[in-house]
Amino acid sequence: MKQKIVLKVSMHCSKCRKKALKVAAVAYGVTSVALHGPEKDKLMILGDGVDAACLTEALRKKLCHASIEIVEEVKDTPKPVDPPKPPSPQIIICQPQPFEYYRVVPDPTPAPCTIM
């Protein structure tokens, strides 16, 4: 069961944001973590079997304030799969090669031997 969890966390600086992202990313079942909201003070966490209460407690230990805002199940809509296309037929045009005929014609008057 995939879940989407939105947590409001007190993150005043970039160091706090890094800590919060790190704590959320290593939690069991988390597949993605993103900053959310106009002030980037919320974490949107997607995962499978994530314990929101446990994650909130871990964030409270590291950053003082964290609260759960939304926990909802995410429905996976299956994408329609297109059937594989058959390979397109290849048309190969073979042109006949022209034939060349050769004929051996003996020399009517053999030349004398010139080796010596």
Side-chain angles (χ1 to χ4, degrees):
M1 163 174 100
K2 280 200 164 195
Q3 295 174 323
K4 176 177 134 182
I5 302 169
V6 178
L7 302 173
K8 182 166 176 71
V9 184
S10 64
M11 297 182 285
H12 305 292
C13 61
S14 63
K15 186 176 178 182
C16 293
R17 286 185 182 93
K18 284 182 186 178
K19 269 187 188 179
L21 288 170
K22 189 174 183 179
V23 169
V26 298
Y28 175 78
V30 173
T31 55
S32 83
V33 180
L35 292 173
H36 187 64
E39 297 175 15
K40 304 290 184 193
D41 61 340
K42 298 177 185 178
L43 289 177
M44 186 186 321
I45 299 156
L46 295 175
D48 198 12
V50 179
D51 187 355
C54 213
L55 181 57
T56 305
E57 184 180 333
L59 286 165
R60 282 181 185 153
K61 284 181 182 179
K62 291 283 184 179
L63 299 165
C64 294
H65 178 75
S67 61
I68 300 172
E69 287 199 346
I70 300 171
V71 177
E72 61 185 24
E73 186 177 337
V74 177
K75 304 267 186 201
D76 285 336
T77 56
K79 295 178 182 175
V81 178
D82 293 333
K85 294 180 182 178
S88 60
Q90 295 181 351
I91 299 173
I92 300 173
I93 299 173
C94 295
Q95 295 182 356
Q97 298 293 324
F99 291 105
E100 294 183 23
Y101 293 102
Y102 295 98
R103 194 171 88 187
V104 178
V105 179
D107 192 7
T109 56
C113 186
T114 57
I115 294 177
M116 291 193 153

